[in-house]
Amino acid sequence: MKGYAAADIARLSGAIMEGDGARAGMVQHLLTDSRKLSFPSTTLFFAIKTKQGDGHQYIAELYKQGVRHFVVSDTKLPQDCPDAIWYRTDNVIACLQRLAAAHRQKFCIPVLGITGSNGKTIVKEWLNALLQDEVNIVRSPRSFNSQLGVPLSVWAMQDEHELGIFEAGISRKGEMQLLEKIIRPTIGLITNLGAAHSEGFDGDADKLTEKLLLFQSVAVLVYCKDHRLVDEALQRSREAFPNRALLSWGKSPEADIRLLNVKVENNTSVLEVVSSGRFFTFSIPYVDAAALENAMHCFTAAVALGYPDQAALRMKQLPPLSMRLEMKEGRQGCTLINDSYNADLSGIFTALDFLGLQDPTRRRTVVLSDVSGLSDQDENAYDRLVDYLVSKQVHRVFGAGQQISAQAQRFASQLEAHFFSDTQSLLQHLAHVPFKDEVILIKGARDFHFEAISTLLESKMHQTRLEVNLPCIAHNLQEYRKLLPPDTRLMVMVKAFSYGAGSIEVARLLQFHHADYIAVAYVDEGVELRKAGIRLPIMVMNTEPQAFALLVENDLEPELYSLDIIRRFHDFLRTEGIAFYPVHIKLDTGMHRLGLDHSDIIQFNKEFGLSPRLRVKSVFTHLVASEDAGEDAFTARQLVNFEAGCALLQQQLGYVFWRHAANTAAISRHPQAAYEMVRLGIGLYGVDAGKSGLFLQEAISLKTTIAQIRDVAAGESVGYGRKALLHRQTRVATIRVGYADGFPRSLGNGRGSVLIQGQHYPTLGNVCMDMTMIDITGSEDIGLEDEVLVFGPGHSINQMARAAETIPYEIMTGIAQRVPRIYFSE
């Protein structure tokens, strides 16, 4: 994109410009989320205020990173931004929409606009799969169909595109007119009319009228004639829109494209269709009614666009889209079915169908929120829901929300029913319910945050616990910051469950203390952080092709360490129509585990140096022995190799990226390796591999309790294998920790010890899976349930690691997930 000058931005958006626009660079990229910054010098940031936050608070930090263009509504702005360009307005979102609408007017290509209650994203993605080999398509990323998502999607239109596909979603009156001005579709498609987002309308007819506003200027409108309400409304509108052709499909003889027959064979549907006198037979790899409807929408749209044969040929390859429903292990032998994405009536019925497939001998419980699209007056709908619950042999229901609570008696007439006004009240009740060996379906609208219920029912009770002192972690973070140059960024490693400490809680602390980046090992770790509300940029160190979709969906940034993985990710981005995705390139400078070598860098430059798909956010390497003074010469050679590799990449890419090489030990021992960013790992928890001299505080303690105490006579043995033969009468305490919890088996037979009441006591016999015996002879004041410190302040993890002949990393990451994490704060 050539970009827009500051004066053009002001004129097109309707904002009042302040600053020397003539000296400012061109605007090419729009930003509404400060975490997603990639091109600072050419980015225009929209400081949007929402219930979740105020974009104005990120202006100062974005300015430091190189952003100079800001659309603002506040009168008070940071004072230390001398060359910033301010675009002042009363409505930041309206400015964004006007600018995107002006950008759209530059293009004369066909644009397909999609709306409806369900299926918009699936139809868009399937159409792309069917037509991407025929035409260069620009489309909405994922489900970018809102007042913010649509303008950001349309802004991606470029000269090389030949077809645009954009979806539009609304939840109240007045929204679709705004989206229509931005999308300006030439072809329209309405998927269906269901219960979703009905709250903002007076009824189905009112909602349909609003949705059809998207198609005021289209030449062709695709729809299903079997949807009676939609068909009648469009037939009435013919006189008002004489230039708009209607292209319908359906089983009705009056449909333009008629679905003659559907045969189901081996999880495949074979469709027989006639269009303009031509017969088509094609198969789709799905058998459900929703997939059939979506496939027919796609075929009809392909007819409107002139590609019926190509679409029919590729129908059998329609890709599956990720399911949101998950099954998890719950406490006390329960199985959880977590489907907390939405709670409209059709979605509930679908989830109940899945529940009905489970073991019929197990008790079935359903947890529901208010039903989207229904009011407490929709008695017939609630009767249908109760009947469906009974038909699926549901034993009891828990509900949250005022609307569903008003129907409590209706549920209670046939089921065991418990209703509460909100999620918090329901949570408090569920904490005392004795769930055991049952299947629990959790189905709630997003606003009810039912993920907290899933977390509660997954929890496990265990007296052994890992205590995490959050103030100590914050203290250690500041200690390392003291060693960094002012402009050096800080990436903190929270991989492997934050070295066992618990990723979500540690990430929240890091976010509060303004860490610049966090890093995880795998995509699923990053997904959990996003679900927990972590907004920081997240680098994923072990990128796997099968997780690319999840990675992009959750705004995670991959480490790319080989030409193979780079090619695969690049192909994925091209298939998805995604440009300028932030990535991190790893160089191999001597560790020889992962990373590009010199020849790989040259090949990378040839293949990807000018690619619009990748935006190299950082380049980094791993120092092999930064903590070892005896290997400082090798570390120095690594840094020389790293700088050479970075220079080679810089020469081809032509833009600035961040460099990082320093790990925890190198932060203190090799200050010359700070570059633009460093990576802090185990030092965050007070474990100092580099002997930095910093005043660090151990933040992690593993504690347990005593299960039994007994006196065992001389000549007896203790534990498996009779490894402990007693030469005297011995007082034996059995503590509730074993190798399944992360207490190494190698610490048995006196090689390890624990701390009780400030005194050290050695292990006795082999460490068991769930228990360990210790010798407490001579300590008569020790009793049952007394606290035992396995490691922590006063009994350092370093000491334990030396005894086990390993490193603290292995001890910390080896603490089992079944051990609950308890967090302490000031």
Side-chain angles (χ1 to χ4, degrees), residues 548-560:
F548 284 165
L550 267 180
L551 182 142
V552 171
E553 181 181 340
N554 289 277
D555 296 314
L556 308 175
E557 302 176 11
E559 167 193 319
L560 301 179

Side-chain angles (χ1 to χ4, degrees), residues 488-713:
T488 298
R489 296 166 180 83
L490 184 64
M491 175 184 284
V492 183
M493 316 304 289
V494 296
K495 63 177 182 175
F497 201 50
S498 285
Y499 296 81
S503 301
I504 292 173
E505 289 75 13
V506 173
R508 285 173 177 157
L509 180 76
L510 296 171
Q511 185 165 273
F512 179 80
H513 287 280
H514 305 293
D516 298 288
Y517 255 88
I518 53 179
V520 298
Y522 293 99
V523 167
D524 56 356
E525 295 176 329
V527 171
E528 287 301 312
L529 294 179
R530 287 288 184 243
K531 288 181 179 178
I534 301 303
R535 303 182 306 275
L536 289 172
I538 300 176
M539 182 177 80
V540 178
M541 304 190 75
N542 298 302
T543 307
E544 300 170 312
Q546 60 267 33
F548 284 165
L550 267 180
L551 182 142
V552 171
E553 181 181 340
N554 289 277
D555 296 314
L556 308 175
E557 302 176 11
E559 167 193 319
L560 301 179
Y561 49 79
S562 70
L563 290 174
D564 176 69
I565 199 70
I566 294 171
R567 289 175 183 131
R568 292 190 183 199
F569 190 61
H570 188 270
D571 289 345
F572 171 82
L573 294 177
R574 184 177 59 228
T575 300
E576 293 295 313
I578 298 172
F580 306 119
Y581 200 85
V583 300
H584 304 262
I585 304 297
K586 186 170 189 178
L587 304 186
D588 179 14
T589 60
M591 188 166 184
H592 306 317
R593 180 178 61 179
L594 296 172
L596 306 186
D597 59 21
H598 181 77
S599 62
D600 292 333
I601 296 172
I602 293 174
Q603 188 62 32
F604 173 88
N605 282 343
K606 289 180 180 178
E607 293 187 41
F608 309 107
L610 299 177
S611 172
R613 301 294 169 192
L614 303 176
R615 167 67 180 184
V616 177
K617 199 72 174 288
S618 80
V619 178
F620 70 104
T621 194
H622 193 86
L623 300 180
V624 176
S626 60
E627 75 283 357
D628 189 347
E631 296 291 348
D632 282 354
F634 185 85
T635 298
R637 288 199 298 275
Q638 278 196 273
L639 295 177
V640 170
N641 293 338
F642 176 60
E643 291 177 6
C646 288
L648 192 57
L649 285 168
Q650 177 77 65
Q651 184 178 4
Q652 179 65 26
L653 293 174
Y655 57 80
V656 176
F657 49 76
W658 301 333
R659 301 168 297 168
H660 48 112
N663 51 14
T664 294
I667 291 173
S668 58
R669 297 201 66 252
H670 301 282
Q672 76 279 17
Y675 299 116
E676 289 77 38
M677 187 156 64
V678 299
R679 301 187 304 274
L680 178 61
I682 201 167
L684 185 69
Y685 310 100
V687 181
D688 186 6
K691 298 179 176 59
S692 63
L694 294 173
F695 176 60
L696 300 179
Q697 300 173 359
E698 286 199 38
I700 312 295
S701 301
L702 181 61
K703 296 180 179 179
T704 189
T705 57
I706 296 174
Q708 187 177 49
I709 298 174
R710 71 172 72 208
D711 293 317
V712 183

